[in-house]
Amino acid sequence: MAIRNIISVLLSKTSQFAYSRIYFGACKIVREAGNSNSELCSHFLVFPVRPISKFASNIKKEKVNDDASKIRIIKDLNFQSDDDALPFYVLPIKTLLQIYKITKKDEECGYCKNRLYYIAEKIKCPPNVLSQHIAKRTFVYNLTFDWLESSLNALLDMGVSGDRILRDLWVLKYHHKTIQERLQRVRRSGVDNLCPWMVRCSEDTLSRSIQICQETKSILGENKDTKKYLANRLNLSPDIIEDMFIKVPALKTTRAAKVKNFLDFLLEQGFSLEDITNKARILASSQNTVKQRLEKLRALGLCKINLNVLCRSRKGFQKYCESIENIGKS
């Protein structure tokens, strides 16, 4: 009787769909207990069970209705091709309705027929490419048109490229005055390569970035990039440096300041330009680690040290040191 009462309370607060889950779960418990013919099983059989097939059928109908609604809404969003509209089909109906409302308002005011094409034209991006990004950043339809227009113009006027705006649409959430102030500050610091993240980052990050850019510019001088700087320092042709960067991809993201300091350090330690050229991977290593390894090897009595040894893994370097120690003991 107690079991019957508990189940009755549960079912009184449960949807019909849950009846089937409780029923099958209970029958499983009974079977596992070896009581398939017990009175307990009969208690569960008296409760109504909603057919699973009927429930699935209703779900399918709801899905079809949702798809039909999406098709009707998207059809009225003034897309110029199916490819442009395709990414929007994954959006919920509520979001599509909001986009529809804004689109119709833009159209009535004479702004544009769909913000997708307005932004695509401004940043010189194919609409079908931009559509994939905007479907994930639907906030562009929540901004006032004046805000969107002013933010876009501020970025473009400051020389931010369209492809960078495409990759960082979040910057459009910022007021055009904030965009102008931030980017003008960066430009006055001597940085010409402006990016949207400079608007969005913290003050500390921006200050640090400006400092790094200024250091890099002073180091590179007229060389413009790290490749040309290395070519001049190592007395190598640009083609050889290009091969070096292919073999050591980490060099592509290594700051010019680190390259300069590391080169100066290695030359001071007695390594030749030829040594460094033949083992360019050393420039992507940690200077502190290399310094510690040099000190350890010299403490073991080694005078002539190969850069290959300094580039070994931690385990490989440890084994090399142990072999030197063993030789010294014998």
Side-chain angles (χ1 to χ4, degrees), residues 1 6 9 29 68 78-81 83 98 104 122 127 142 161 202 219 224 237 243 256 273 283 291-292 296 305 307:
M1 183 61 67
I6 293 172
V9 172
I29 294 172
N78 303 321
F79 285 109
Q80 296 174 6
S81 74
D83 285 343
Q98 176 64 18
K104 290 307 170 186
K122 296 285 282 185
N142 296 329
S161 63
S202 66
I219 291 169
K224 299 297 183 183
S237 69
D243 291 338
L273 291 177
L283 296 173
K291 182 179 179 181
Q292 291 171 8
K296 183 166 186 176
I305 300 172
L307 283 179

Side-chain angles (χ1 to χ4, degrees), residues 50-64:
R50 185 176 182 181
I52 297 297
S53 59
K54 184 177 180 181
F55 176 79
S57 176
N58 288 341
I59 290 294
K60 187 175 181 180
K61 287 179 182 177
E62 291 174 6
K63 180 72 167 61
V64 171

Side-chain angles (χ1 to χ4, degrees), residues 79 84-92 95-96 99 116 127-141 169:
F79 285 109
D84 299 344
L86 189 59
F88 283 72
Y89 282 94
V90 301
L91 299 175
T95 302
L96 288 174
I99 294 174
L116 168 70
N128 63 321
V129 174
L130 177 61
S131 180
Q132 299 172 35
H133 292 263
I134 285 189
K136 299 174 183 177
R137 306 285 186 269
T138 56
F139 66 83
V140 298
Y141 287 96
L169 290 171

Side-chain angles (χ1 to χ4, degrees), residues 31-294:
R31 286 196 302 272
E32 290 176 351
N35 297 318
S36 57
N37 296 320
S38 69
E39 182 184 358
L40 178 61
C41 189
S42 67
H43 289 326
F44 289 99
L45 294 176
V46 300
F47 295 108
V49 177
R50 185 176 182 181
I52 297 297
S53 59
K54 184 177 180 181
F55 176 79
S57 176
N58 288 341
I59 290 294
K60 187 175 181 180
K61 287 179 182 177
E62 291 174 6
K63 180 72 167 61
V64 171
N65 291 336
D66 284 351
D67 289 343
S69 298
K70 286 185 178 184
I71 291 172
R72 285 196 300 271
I73 297 170
I74 291 174
K75 186 178 180 182
D76 289 333
L77 291 179
N78 303 321
F79 285 109
Q80 296 174 6
S81 74
D82 293 337
D83 285 343
D84 299 344
L86 189 59
F88 283 72
Y89 282 94
V90 301
L91 299 175
I93 290 179
K94 183 178 179 181
T95 302
L96 288 174
L97 287 172
Q98 176 64 18
I99 294 174
Y100 172 82
K101 179 181 176 182
I102 298 299
T103 299
K104 290 307 170 186
K105 183 178 179 181
D106 287 346
E107 196 172 6
E108 289 171 4
C109 295
Y111 298 141
C112 63
K113 290 191 173 183
N114 189 313
R115 294 188 180 189
L116 168 70
Y117 300 105
Y118 172 76
I119 298 172
E121 183 180 358
K122 296 285 282 185
I123 68 174
K124 309 302 179 187
C125 173
N128 63 321
V129 174
L130 177 61
S131 180
Q132 299 172 35
H133 292 263
I134 285 189
K136 299 174 183 177
R137 306 285 186 269
T138 56
F139 66 83
V140 298
Y141 287 96
N142 296 329
L143 304 172
T144 65
F145 189 84
D146 287 342
W147 183 293
L148 175 64
E149 183 180 40
S150 298
S151 295
L152 261 176
N153 287 338
L155 289 163
L156 295 171
D157 290 345
M158 291 301 298
V160 179
S161 63
D163 62 314
R164 283 181 173 162
I165 297 174
L166 173 67
R167 294 195 299 269
D168 197 349
L169 290 171
W170 290 110
V171 73
L172 297 176
K173 280 190 170 186
Y174 288 78
H175 195 271
H176 69 278
K177 288 186 177 179
T178 302
I179 295 172
Q180 288 172 344
E181 290 170 0
R182 272 292 185 103
L183 295 183
Q184 284 174 353
R185 175 185 165 191
V186 175
R187 178 169 285 175
R188 284 195 299 269
S189 301
V191 179
D192 300 320
N193 200 11
L194 303 180
C195 302
W197 64 263
M198 295 174 176
V199 177
R200 301 191 299 103
C201 68
S202 66
E203 281 293 329
D204 288 344
T205 300
L206 184 63
S207 298
R208 176 59 180 157
S209 175
I210 290 173
Q211 181 185 351
I212 291 172
C213 288
Q214 290 175 334
E215 289 176 355
T216 300
K217 196 169 184 178
S218 65
I219 291 169
L220 296 180
E222 297 300 321
N223 294 313
K224 299 297 183 183
D225 59 36
T226 307
K227 289 182 181 179
K228 290 182 179 179
Y229 174 77
L230 271 176
N232 288 337
R233 283 294 304 265
L234 299 176
N235 297 322
L236 299 173
S237 69
D239 291 338
I240 294 177
I241 295 296
E242 188 65 38
D243 291 338
M244 185 185 295
F245 272 63
I246 293 173
K247 293 176 182 177
V248 189
L251 281 176
K252 295 177 183 178
T253 56
T254 304
R255 291 193 293 110
K258 178 187 174 181
V259 172
K260 177 188 180 300
N261 293 335
F262 215 157
L263 273 172
D264 292 343
F265 169 76
L266 292 173
L267 292 172
E268 288 173 1
Q269 296 299 316
F271 296 101
S272 66
L273 291 177
E274 185 179 359
D275 293 333
I276 299 170
T277 300
N278 292 335
K279 198 60 180 177
R281 187 161 67 92
I282 191 70
L283 296 173
S285 304
S286 165
Q287 185 173 330
N288 287 334
T289 299
V290 171
K291 182 179 179 181
Q292 291 171 8
R293 288 183 173 186
L294 280 171

